[in-house]
């Protein structure tokens, strides 16, 4: 049975927040100030599903995607842009304030650009016995069949059709598939995970799909099935040959904005540590003006960075080393050689490395993060160790979602 609720605010995950019988409940796709009728969601006691909007917010707009509300990929398409950006900045400010951090927080930079350049498409057999190819449904593990996703770069227009062909070819395995597709300079780079070992017949079928869809490369768990070119992406003046399944920033514009902010904060530094360097989006740009030592646990990514640096003329020396910074962070004695340390960890943050940075005498630390909560934890370690958090810039390359990137500068106190 639907109850009438007044939405008080928007939570950090993009849901409307309301009070019901003294309890807090979360209402996806509702906006602050709206009055809605909403019903309970089975097995999710704190969530409600809107059945009718009684009084709509003046900030409500029409979503641009026909799958919105069913597909769980986007949480926010129904909110006016200016209000949405204010909310994203407020999430950063509030999360930092909870850790007693009160730096200058810039306005949000929109870095959606031409859209997402990488996507993971799921293929699962549903309760109806049908094979579904697309994205997870909102609040569910069920898969919504998607024909076209408007938040993707136009270069990925063939991604859904390619994923569907792969899913059909591997349907006999009966296994759930995750199909990662990345847009490179040479076309689509596809890595299939979950299929298990392939028979010669299935391998031949996948190779035919790669040829028919003009893929640059098709791999299974990183093993090459078919390849016409090693997929490359441009980073500064370098071209990186991507390892299979490589991680990239979600949008090309996002990478450019993040790298420009990192370079700005590094200033005239002569020797820079790039921690959690990946394939080198920062290191390869910073090396145009400074010596760089780059570290990451992903050995193929580090090898791709090293190779790109070696093939690019005009760069300062780049040292690239595979090292697990969660288990073996750089120690203060090792960090003493650097003018600036840059760190860009996965979502779990960099607690072990931040602890060592806090003990170091590196004059400037530049942090990049895709998780405001773990960033606040790591930032607190640095501030307690004697650094001053001077500036934070939110960067929105995950438009229409609650996710936000940020770049921050820390200065060592005298």
């Amino acid at each position: 049975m639907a109850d009438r609720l007044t939405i008080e605010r928007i939570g950090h995950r993009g849901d409307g927040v309301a009070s019901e019988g003294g309890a807090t409940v979360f209402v996806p796709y509702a906006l602050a100030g709206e009055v809605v009728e909403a019903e309970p969601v089975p097995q999710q006691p704190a969530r409600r599903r809107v059945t009718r909007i009684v009084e709509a917010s003046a900030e409500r707009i029409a979503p641009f995607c026909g799958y919105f509300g069913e597909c769980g990929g986007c949480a926010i398409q129904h909110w006016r842009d200016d209000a949405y950006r204010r909310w994203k900045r407020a999430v950063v400010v509030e999360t930092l304030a909870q850790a007693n951090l009160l730096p200058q927080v810039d306005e949000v930079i929109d870095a959606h650009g031409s859209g997402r350049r990488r996507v993971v498409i799921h293929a699962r057999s549903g309760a109806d016995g049908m094979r579904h190819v697309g994205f997870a449904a909102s609040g569910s593990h069920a898969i919504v069949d998607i024909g076209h996703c408007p938040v993707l770069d136009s270069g990925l227009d063939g991604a859904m059709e390619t994923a569907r062909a792969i899913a059909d070819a591997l349907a006999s395995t009966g296994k759930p598939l995750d199909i990662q597709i990345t847009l490179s300079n040479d076309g689509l780079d596809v890595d299939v995970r979950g299929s298990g070992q392939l028979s010669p017949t299935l391998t031949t079928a996948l190779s035919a799909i790669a040829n028919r869809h003009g893929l640059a490369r098709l791999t299974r768990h990183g093993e090459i099935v078919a390849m016409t070119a090693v997929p490359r992406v441009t980073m500064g003046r370098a071209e990186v040959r991507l390892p299979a399944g490589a991680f990239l920033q979600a949008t090309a514009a996002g990478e450019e904005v993040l790298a420009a902010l990192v370079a700005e904060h590094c200033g005239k530094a002569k020797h820079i540590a790039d921690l959690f360097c990946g394939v080198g989006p920062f290191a390869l740009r910073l090396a145009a003006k400074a010596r760089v030592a780059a570290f990451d646990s992903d050995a193929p990514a580090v090898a791709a960075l090293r190779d790109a640096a070696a093939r690019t003329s005009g760069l300062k020396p780049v040292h690239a080393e595979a090292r697990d910074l969660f288990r073996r962070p750089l120690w203060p004695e090792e960090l003493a050689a650097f003018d600036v340390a840059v760190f860009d960890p996965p979502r779990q943050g960099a607690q072990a490395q931040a602890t060592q940075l806090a003990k170091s005498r590196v004059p400037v630390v530049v942090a990049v993060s895709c998780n405001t909560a773990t960033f606040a934890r790591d930032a607190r370690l640095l501030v307690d160790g004697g650094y001053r958090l001077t500036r934070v810039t939110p960067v929105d390359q995950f438009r229409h979602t609650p996710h936000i990137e940020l770049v921050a500068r820390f200065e060592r106190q005298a």
Side-chain angles (χ1 to χ4, degrees):
M1 179 178 177
D3 294 320
R4 184 165 292 200
L5 301 172
T6 299
I7 307 302
E8 300 164 5
R9 57 187 173 85
I10 303 298
H12 285 194
R13 296 179 62 184
D15 297 334
V17 180
S19 297
E20 184 182 44
T24 298
V25 295
F26 299 91
V27 190
Y29 315 121
L31 296 176
E34 291 189 327
V35 178
V36 303
E37 290 181 354
E39 62 185 11
V41 176
Q43 300 179 336
Q44 299 183 57
R47 295 180 72 79
R48 300 292 181 270
R49 181 184 294 112
V50 172
T51 57
R52 186 168 78 95
I53 298 174
V54 179
E55 296 179 18
S57 167
E59 296 175 347
R60 177 173 285 276
I61 60 174
F64 56 83
C65 177
Y67 299 105
F68 181 68
E70 181 183 7
C71 168
C74 290
I76 300 163
Q77 291 182 11
H78 57 298
W79 202 3
R80 208 171 60 199
D81 280 351
D82 56 342
Y84 159 78
R85 285 194 298 272
R86 286 196 300 272
W87 166 73
K88 276 211 160 174
R89 180 181 180 276
V91 168
V92 174
V93 172
E94 291 166 9
T95 304
L96 296 182
Q98 289 169 4
N100 198 27
L101 299 167
L102 303 171
Q104 170 190 328
V105 178
D106 298 338
E107 295 300 317
V108 173
I109 297 176
D110 185 343
H112 181 73
S114 59
R116 307 278 188 88
R117 61 176 173 177
R118 60 179 176 85
V119 63
V120 178
I121 301 169
H122 308 294
R124 304 281 190 275
S125 295
D128 55 5
M130 301 293 290
R131 192 75 160 164
H132 299 280
V133 180
F135 302 135
S138 177
S140 168
H141 295 297
I143 301 301
V144 178
D145 287 293
I146 301 291
H148 173 73
C149 176
V151 303
L152 300 183
D153 187 294
S154 61
L156 286 173
D157 281 351
M160 291 296 176
E161 184 182 354
T162 298
R164 198 170 301 280
I166 291 170
D168 288 346
L170 299 180
S172 62
T173 68
K175 295 187 176 182
L177 304 176
D178 295 316
I179 304 166
Q180 177 176 308
I181 304 182
T182 301
L183 177 61
S184 77
N185 296 348
D186 303 278
L188 299 186
D189 182 22
V190 182
D191 187 48
V192 180
R193 295 185 176 267
S195 67
Q197 200 68 35
L198 297 179
S199 67
T201 299
L202 290 179
T203 300
T204 300
L206 287 185
S207 183
I209 289 169
N211 181 63
R212 187 163 64 249
H213 290 263
L215 305 183
R217 179 173 63 188
L218 175 59
T219 56
R220 183 204 68 89
H221 286 268
E223 298 175 354
I224 294 176
V225 174
M227 183 169 69
T228 58
V230 178
R232 300 164 299 159
V233 293
T234 303
M235 293 181 175
R237 64 180 67 171
E239 274 199 327
V240 178
R241 296 166 175 166
L242 292 177
F247 172 83
L248 292 176
Q249 294 293 342
T251 71
E255 180 181 293
E256 293 285 352
V257 169
L258 294 172
L261 288 165
V262 167
E264 177 186 345
H265 291 319
C266 288
K268 297 181 180 180
K270 300 298 184 185
H271 196 190
I272 300 170
D274 183 4
L275 311 175
F276 306 96
C277 62
V279 295
F282 305 142
L284 291 168
R285 290 175 170 91
L286 294 171
K289 295 182 178 179
R291 288 185 297 139
V292 177
F295 303 87
D296 199 289
S297 61
D298 187 339
V302 171
L305 164 55
R306 188 185 302 119
D307 169 71
R311 290 185 294 101
T312 305
S313 61
L315 298 183
K316 302 288 187 183
V318 175
H319 168 79
E321 178 181 331
R323 178 165 170 169
D324 187 340
L325 298 175
F326 295 107
R327 292 185 173 143
R328 198 162 64 91
L330 264 66
W331 305 104
E333 296 79 8
E334 297 172 282
L335 291 164
F338 301 106
D339 307 315
V340 176
V342 177
F343 71 98
D344 179 18
R347 290 190 61 80
Q348 65 261 45
Q351 188 170 14
Q353 186 61 77
T355 299
Q356 299 308 316
L357 282 165
K359 298 174 183 178
S360 78
R361 303 305 299 175
V362 179
V364 173
V365 174
V366 181
V368 182
S369 175
C370 60
N371 185 323
T372 309
T374 57
F375 167 78
R377 179 201 65 203
D378 296 343
R380 188 70 254 169
L381 291 170
L382 289 169
V383 170
D384 289 345
Y387 282 90
R388 184 167 66 96
L389 176 55
T390 61
R391 181 181 165 196
V392 174
T393 305
V395 177
D396 189 12
Q397 65 171 330
F398 294 99
R399 196 195 287 173
H400 315 301
T401 79
H403 302 299
I404 186 77
E405 303 260 349
L406 58 82
V407 180
R409 177 184 169 94
F410 298 83
E411 298 175 0
R412 168 57 78 181
Q413 302 277 61

